[in-house]
Amino acid sequence: MKQTEKTGLTVSRILDAAALEFGRNGYAGGTVNNICKSGINKGLIYHNFRDKDALYLACLKRACEKLLALIEESGAGTASAAAGETPSEHTADFAAH
């Protein structure tokens, strides 16, 4: 396995554990120490994420990407779809304003 593949798997494991922790306890109550209880080394977390904020934002980004993918797969009949925009394009337009 290549190093980039290992890094991707490690980051995915970290994000999975962090999403569970933040989902259970929220941002304020979630701790890196609790994330480590799932078997992830604290050093690996801080090697891949600057701090708790960066880890939380990465979790949010991944969740939003998954949600957008599900929306696009469903072919949601929204006004943006009728206008020829994908949900991602519509979301990007909305976020820009």
Side-chain angles (χ1 to χ4, degrees):
M1 182 180 298
K2 293 182 181 180
Q3 185 62 36
T4 54
E5 292 172 344
K6 286 175 105 175
T7 299
L9 289 173
T10 298
V11 168
S12 184
R13 282 184 56 231
I14 292 168
L15 290 175
D16 288 344
L20 285 173
E21 173 64 13
F22 293 132
R24 287 183 186 129
N25 301 307
Y27 174 79
T31 68
V32 172
N33 285 335
N34 283 344
I35 295 167
C36 292
K37 290 178 183 177
S38 68
I40 296 172
N41 181 289
K42 189 184 274 190
L44 282 176
I45 294 172
Y46 285 113
H47 176 76
N48 289 282
F49 299 95
R50 179 181 68 250
D51 54 20
K52 179 180 162 183
D53 289 347
L55 179 57
Y56 184 74
L57 289 174
C59 287
L60 289 177
K61 180 180 178 194
R62 188 171 80 158
C64 288
E65 288 169 350
K66 286 181 178 183
L67 179 59
L68 281 174
L70 288 171
I71 291 169
E72 288 176 356
E73 285 175 19
S74 74
T78 64
S80 61
E85 283 185 318
T86 66
S88 293
E89 292 168 333
H90 183 73
T91 303
D93 288 344
F94 177 78
H97 290 73

